Structures are given as C-alpha cells and as structure tokens.
Amino acid sequence: MGLRFAGPSKGIAKRVFGVDCNGVEAAADLTPDARRNNSLSSVGRFLVLGSLAVVVVAISLGFAFNGAWLVLPFAGLGLLVAAMEFRYLERHAGDCDCKTVRGDQVVIKFWDRESVSRFEFNRNWAQVVFREPRGKESGRLTLPSHGNEVEFGIHLTDERRAAVACRMKEHLRIR
C-alpha cells in the first residue's frame, strides 16, 4: 500500500479513529495510491502453490496406498480451490485507487484488472466522509457530491483509511 503525499506540512489538531491528524500535508495537488498488499510476487505465489500441491499429493497418495483412496478426490478438490484463489490474487494484484486534487477539481481513478474508472468532482462541493468501523464491519472512506458517492481506499486498512481521510479533509480546505 503506497501512499504518496507531496508538498509542505501544515498541521491540524484532530484525531480520527485514533490517528493523529497533526502534520497533515498540503500542496497544489495530492495523489494518494491505495494498493493491495502483495506480499508475494508472481513467482512466490507459484512456488507456494507448487509446494502446497507437492505436500498434499504426497500425503493423499500415502493414504490411498493404505486403502483410503477417497482422500484423493478431496485432495484434488482442495488443490483446485487453492489454485483458483491464487489465480484471483494474481489477476487482481495490480488493482489500485488514485485520487488527485488539482485546482478546483477532484479526480478519482480506479484500476480493476484491466479496466479504469474515472470520476470527477468539483472541489467546492466534494466532501470527505469517513465512517468508523463498527463490529466486524470495516470503515468506509467516501467522497459524496451532488448525489454521487464514490468509495475510496477499499484496499487499505482502517487505520490507513482514517489517515487518508484526515489528509484529504485538510487538503480540500486549503486554497
């Protein structure tokens, strides 16, 4: 999850979701990127899946040779599900959100696999709304304006989302 903020610091005294908003950065434009946490590379994912397959096949063959041959279809089904999960992770590894504030315009872009969605708002009407997490439900960071609402930072943790909300609220106020 890379967050890039450009410009000089300007602080506000406020806390959101336990995040201190002092030292909020402001500039002519701000571009935070909210990316997935890809702790494994493509090769790493392939090696983990291959290692898992070797271990599962070895154990299931051991059971099959001892007469419990019904273990083989279930082991194969488990490997199929794991392979589908790893494929999903691989296909969505590059997903990210990007928000840019430049002049009187707020531009939000979403990259989901190969498609790009773009939303533009007038800076004077755009608001930053952060709803803190409740129970098992995670927090939400949205930008509502003129009846449209766009959620940002779905790949971020609640703490990061709160920090981005602080920075965006302050940045939208700065002229």
Side-chain angles (χ1 to χ4, degrees):
M1 290 176 278
L3 294 174
R4 292 188 303 253
F5 298 96
S9 294
K10 182 170 183 173
I12 60 172
K14 189 174 179 185
R15 290 184 69 85
V16 175
F17 189 61
V19 175
D20 190 6
C21 294
N22 290 325
V24 172
E25 302 178 27
D29 57 12
L30 173 73
T31 307
D33 290 332
R35 298 184 183 278
R36 290 181 177 271
N37 181 4
N38 293 317
S39 57
L40 283 176
S41 65
S42 295
V43 173
R45 280 189 283 275
F46 181 75
L47 290 175
V48 168
L49 183 60
S51 301
L52 179 66
V54 167
V55 170
V56 168
V57 167
I59 292 172
S60 60
L61 283 176
F63 277 101
F65 288 140
N66 286 319
W69 60 270
L70 277 175
V71 172
L72 287 174
F74 289 102
L77 184 63
L79 285 176
L80 178 66
V81 169
M84 289 171 42
E85 290 172 356
F86 275 84
R87 182 173 182 236
Y88 176 83
L89 290 174
E90 181 68 29
R91 294 178 84 181
H92 291 278
D95 292 359
C96 68
D97 304 348
C98 178
K99 189 180 312 167
T100 305
V101 178
R102 194 169 281 134
D104 284 338
Q105 201 171 38
V106 179
V107 179
I108 301 172
K109 291 182 183 178
F110 299 103
W111 280 268
D112 184 21
R113 286 187 55 197
E114 299 298 323
S115 66
V116 177
S117 301
R118 179 185 169 110
F119 300 92
E120 294 184 19
F121 297 103
N122 185 326
R123 180 179 181 174
N124 298 320
W125 293 96
Q127 299 175 0
V128 178
V129 177
F130 177 72
R131 294 179 188 97
E132 292 191 16
R134 295 184 188 145
K136 293 184 179 182
E137 182 180 314
S138 65
R140 291 185 63 203
L141 173 59
T142 58
L143 262 84
S145 178
H146 287 88
N148 296 328
E149 184 176 80
V150 176
E151 186 173 359
F152 181 79
I154 59 173
H155 305 297
L156 298 176
T157 63
D158 288 330
E159 291 81 15
R160 290 282 212 182
R161 213 174 282 132
V164 170
C166 286
R167 288 183 178 106
M168 286 305 300
K169 282 180 182 179
E170 181 62 24
H171 189 75
L172 288 176
R173 284 189 229 131
I174 297 171
R175 286 290 176 167

